[in-house]
Amino acid sequence: MTSPNFVKGLIEKEIVKHGSQLIEAVDETKIKFFYRTVKTSDGTVLDDNFPGKEPLELIYGKQFKLEVWEECLKTMELHEVARFTVQRELLSCYALVAKSLRDIAKGKDSSNCGDREHGSGDHHCCGMQNMLKNGLGYADLDEFLKNPEPLIFTLEIVEASEPGSYEKDSWAMDQAEKLKSIPVLHEEGNHLYRKQKYVEAADRYTRALGILEDLMGREQPESDDWKKLDVLRVPILLNYTQCQLILGHYNEAIEHTTTIIEKDPTNVKAWYRRAKAHAMAWNPKEAREDFARAVELDASLSGAVQRDLRKLDEVQRTRDLEDREKMRHLFG
């Protein structure tokens, strides 16, 4: 079925290279594609990620901000290259999306590109008046905002994945899917940890924590729903800090266990792991204090703590001997 914008002449398509396979344009289909944007007035290339750069991903039905791209892609086959001339009426969000893509390519954080779960395209582009006043940080995009014109998009679909055939990134999930993914990622992390794949385990815990942070950010702090999510966060964060200890990232382990302790001063695992992190980062005073607090909270740790303290004492004696030897050579 031809979309109204094609019928009205707002989008015109020219096939550059025919495709190899039909793609069913249904919601949740994931498309990877290259794009090039050219001004119709003088042929200036505004943006180009054709081979040599990473293809862009789009999931049908997730309301990509530049809706005209999804509309164009749905007319294409796999490996097809097509050129679309799009009238200015459909390009109100182009500059904002282009800015986001450029920022991401430069390694800058950008939350403005991709899908949106709330609101309409008009809502997301309602800040254009402010953009006109303050600028986007790119002279060519600022000029396009002031003097919009039709654009030519050259698109090539390089990969298509059917719904359910791929693991969704968190940005492509709705809230229910995000909540459901947390225990899955947690268990995957635990499985990898048991196999001593600590980097991979930490990655799963990080992803779960990121999703939790996103969900908590949507709730009123300290509300019942927020607290339920916070409860889920603590064991995952503890597992993550254990990975950081093993990987030698002691300061990060200290930082995250401190976060847990500030929220729950009775969390014995956090005290014990922070003590270990302090010991390995060679903060002996802090390590001894945390070991003592862990034993206060759980006397069954006494044996393990005594072994850790003996190791700490041994390292302290060795370091003292080394320091004395250095001083003897300096002043002897």
Side-chain angles (χ1 to χ4, degrees):
M1 179 178 174
T2 306
S3 77
N5 287 324
F6 281 91
V7 174
K8 294 175 184 176
L10 296 175
I11 305 174
E12 296 178 3
K13 177 180 178 180
E14 175 191 354
I15 296 176
V16 178
K17 187 183 85 171
H18 287 280
S20 60
Q21 180 182 329
L22 289 171
I23 300 170
E24 190 176 2
V26 297
D27 285 355
E28 301 291 336
T29 299
K30 182 166 77 170
I31 300 296
K32 290 187 178 182
F33 66 100
F34 291 114
Y35 62 90
R36 180 182 296 118
T37 306
V38 177
K39 294 171 68 174
T40 54
S41 61
D42 58 11
T44 299
V45 176
L46 292 177
D47 294 285
D48 186 352
N49 85 329
F50 262 76
K53 299 182 181 178
E54 285 294 315
L56 187 63
E57 291 186 8
L58 179 152
I59 294 178
Y60 290 160
K62 287 296 181 181
Q63 296 181 303
F64 189 81
K65 285 182 183 176
L66 191 57
E67 294 176 1
V68 70
W69 272 2
E70 181 169 338
E71 197 170 349
C72 293
L73 289 164
K74 283 183 174 180
T75 71
M76 297 176 65
E77 297 181 354
L78 183 63
H79 300 129
E80 178 182 331
V81 180
R83 190 177 294 122
F84 298 87
T85 302
V86 179
Q87 298 304 309
R88 54 185 283 183
E89 294 93 317
L90 304 180
L91 299 173
S92 60
C93 286
Y94 174 74
L96 183 59
V97 172
K99 168 186 164 55
S100 297
L101 292 172
R102 293 181 190 186
D103 288 348
I104 291 168
K106 290 181 177 180
K108 297 180 183 179
D109 179 41
S110 179
S111 59
N112 292 323
C113 188
D115 70 312
R116 61 181 188 271
E117 291 180 2
H118 304 286
S120 66
D122 292 338
H123 171 74
H124 279 265
C125 295
C126 67
M128 286 300 171
Q129 292 302 318
N130 288 332
M131 296 290 182
L132 282 167
K133 184 185 299 182
N134 301 320
L136 292 171
Y138 299 95
D140 55 350
L141 296 180
D142 291 337
E143 174 61 26
F144 180 80
L145 277 176
K146 293 174 184 175
N147 300 294
E149 64 175 86
L151 295 175
I152 298 172
F153 298 117
T154 302
L155 306 176
E156 178 183 5
I157 296 180
V158 294
E159 186 178 318
S161 303
E162 296 179 353
S165 68
Y166 59 91
E167 183 179 351
K168 287 185 180 180
D169 293 321
S170 62
W171 65 263
M173 298 178 187
D174 59 30
Q175 285 188 257
E177 288 172 324
K178 288 179 180 179
L179 193 58
K180 188 177 178 180
S181 73
I182 293 166
V184 174
L185 288 167
H186 190 182
E187 183 50 43
E188 285 179 3
N190 292 346
H191 178 71
L192 290 163
Y193 181 88
R194 289 191 290 270
K195 289 192 166 188
Q196 299 183 350
K197 295 182 177 180
Y198 304 118
V199 173
E200 294 86 346
D203 173 71
R204 297 304 190 280
Y205 296 141
T206 298
R207 288 165 58 186
L209 289 167
I211 292 170
L212 273 167
E213 290 291 341
D214 176 65
L215 292 173
M216 291 171 71
R218 299 170 185 269
E219 304 294 342
Q220 184 69 28
E222 302 300 330
S223 67
D224 289 343
D225 288 337
W226 188 94
K227 288 178 180 176
K228 288 175 184 176
L229 293 168
D230 196 37
V231 168
L232 294 176
R233 188 169 68 111
V234 171
I236 301 174
L237 192 54
L238 279 169
N239 289 0
Y240 175 77
T241 58
Q242 182 63 21
C243 289
Q244 299 313 302
L245 276 173
I246 294 170
L247 293 170
H249 304 153
Y250 307 132
N251 289 332
E252 189 168 356
I254 291 167
E255 176 187 347
H256 291 301
T257 47
T258 299
T259 297
I260 296 170
I261 289 167
E262 288 173 350
K263 291 287 296 182
D264 179 12
T266 65
N267 192 303
V268 66
K269 285 185 178 180
W271 282 103
Y272 185 64
R273 288 180 188 173
R274 193 174 76 170
K276 301 267 283 188
H278 274 307
M280 287 186 270
W282 197 242
N283 303 318
K285 177 177 177 293
E286 292 83 352
R288 293 178 193 281
E289 291 172 352
D290 284 359
F291 278 133
R293 181 60 178 148
V295 172
E296 285 178 17
L297 292 168
D298 185 355
S300 69
L301 286 174
S302 179
V305 166
Q306 288 303 314
R307 288 191 293 273
D308 288 323
L309 288 172
R310 282 196 292 272
K311 291 176 186 176
L312 196 62
D313 289 340
E314 289 171 11
V315 174
Q316 182 72 70
R317 283 193 293 272
T318 300
R319 290 174 71 97
D320 288 346
L321 286 171
E322 290 174 351
D323 288 345
R324 282 198 291 272
E325 188 66 16
K326 287 177 184 177
M327 295 297 287
R328 188 177 69 80
H329 283 296
L330 282 171
F331 298 103

